[in-house]
Amino acid sequence: MSDKKLDAPAFHRRAKRLMDAWKAESDGPDSLLVIHGKTAPDVYNKTIAIHLWLFGYEFSDTILLFTKDKIHITTQRKKAKILQPLQDAENAVPLEITVISKDPAPENQQAYEKALATLKASGPAVGTIASEEPSSKIVAEWNTVYSGSQSEFTSRDIGPLVSDTLAVKEESEIKHTKAAATAGALLMQDYFVDEMAKIFDEEEKVTNRVLAERVEGALASKAVEKRLKAKVPDVDMIEWGSLPSVQSG
């Protein structure tokens, strides 16, 4: 992960848009708390969407705390190093990064208490993504600290706020969406249809799972890549957002 470079202008532009949308709500929460625990395959939720939208990457075991005038990030040292350039960007939203140990450790307690104090200073209404329950050893540490003061807070679901904000696409996002749609259509037309015809003609017994794995692998094949390059300039940027699923009906 150390070779990853973030798009600082995009981060601050989008963070400001999210914060402006939140502040415009007449009955919005006093703070936004987004916690990402351990990563899991084939999982795509609003927390991951926020990370990819803001950073371009997932940062597991990371606490994002938005107050009305600052973003507070609590994460591990290697990730903090990657995030550091965001603090020095022009037109930046004020950003504070607090480092915690990779594994549960006593020194993490101070970092969590600092985040808790920021929550309390912001107000009792905390915006969270109600449909999600992050989990990891680090999240368990945070929950232990937070639970002692949980009665002082009320939770507000920010799922709709996140969805509405991310739904408005920038020009670059529209470009990427079109590229992804082109790739999906090409895989259907130039691979899946032919593969299904071949299976029928040869009376091959293939499970839905095996066929889905073939479609997944086709994206990396030279034949499909060659066809994609003729339609999508940045073909190397295309990857699966979620794995293919084949169902019988």
Side-chain angles (χ1 to χ4, degrees), residues 49-247:
I50 290 173
H51 275 242
L52 295 177
W53 187 64
L54 290 175
F55 306 117
Y57 305 98
E58 281 184 64
F59 287 88
S60 59
D61 285 327
T62 296
I63 299 172
L64 299 182
L65 172 56
F66 296 79
T67 59
K68 293 294 178 68
D69 57 358
K70 185 182 285 189
I71 302 173
H72 306 258
I73 302 179
T74 303
T75 193
Q76 297 154 4
R77 188 169 305 279
K78 287 185 178 180
K79 297 165 189 173
K81 185 176 180 180
I82 298 170
L83 294 166
Q84 192 69 41
L86 297 178
Q87 292 183 304
D88 305 322
E90 294 183 4
N91 301 316
V93 175
L95 176 64
E96 182 176 343
I97 301 173
T98 302
V99 177
I100 55 174
S101 171
K102 181 178 180 181
D103 298 308
E107 55 265 28
N108 290 352
Q109 179 87 9
Q110 184 177 355
Y112 300 137
E113 289 178 349
K114 178 181 176 182
L116 184 60
T118 301
L119 274 178
K120 290 181 178 180
S122 298
V126 180
T128 61
I129 300 174
S131 61
E132 299 176 13
E133 294 184 4
S135 63
S136 72
K137 292 179 180 179
I138 294 297
V139 173
E141 270 193 323
W142 158 255
N143 286 340
T144 299
V145 174
Y146 180 72
S147 62
S149 302
Q150 192 167 1
S151 61
E152 299 178 32
F153 301 105
T154 57
S155 293
R156 303 272 187 87
D157 184 20
I158 60 169
L161 169 67
V162 173
S163 296
D164 291 346
T165 303
L166 270 62
V168 180
K169 304 299 182 185
E170 298 176 352
E171 185 176 342
S172 61
E173 293 177 287
I174 294 173
K175 177 184 176 182
H176 293 153
T177 301
K178 288 180 177 178
T182 299
L186 188 144
L187 277 171
M188 286 294 294
Q189 296 169 0
D190 293 6
Y191 179 80
F192 182 78
V193 172
D194 290 344
E195 187 68 14
M196 283 292 293
K198 178 183 175 183
I199 290 171
F200 288 137
D201 291 343
E202 297 179 1
E203 298 183 354
E204 182 183 1
K205 293 183 179 180
V206 179
T207 64
N208 290 343
R209 180 175 180 177
V210 169
L211 181 54
E213 290 173 349
R214 290 181 184 178
V215 176
E216 178 188 356
L219 184 61
S221 70
K222 295 295 183 182
V224 171
E225 182 180 353
K226 183 178 179 180
R227 295 170 190 167
L228 273 175
K229 282 185 176 179
K231 298 181 178 181
V232 182
D234 300 326
V235 66
D236 294 337
M237 298 292 290
I238 295 176
E239 61 182 34
W240 289 107
S242 58
L243 299 183
S245 176
V246 177
Q247 298 180 344

Side-chain angles (χ1 to χ4, degrees), residues 9-21 53-54 66 71 93:
F11 168 83
H12 288 288
R13 183 176 64 250
R14 293 173 181 179
K16 186 176 186 303
R17 180 144 64 89
L18 175 62
M19 294 173 75
D20 286 346
W53 187 64
L54 290 175
F66 296 79
I71 302 173
V93 175

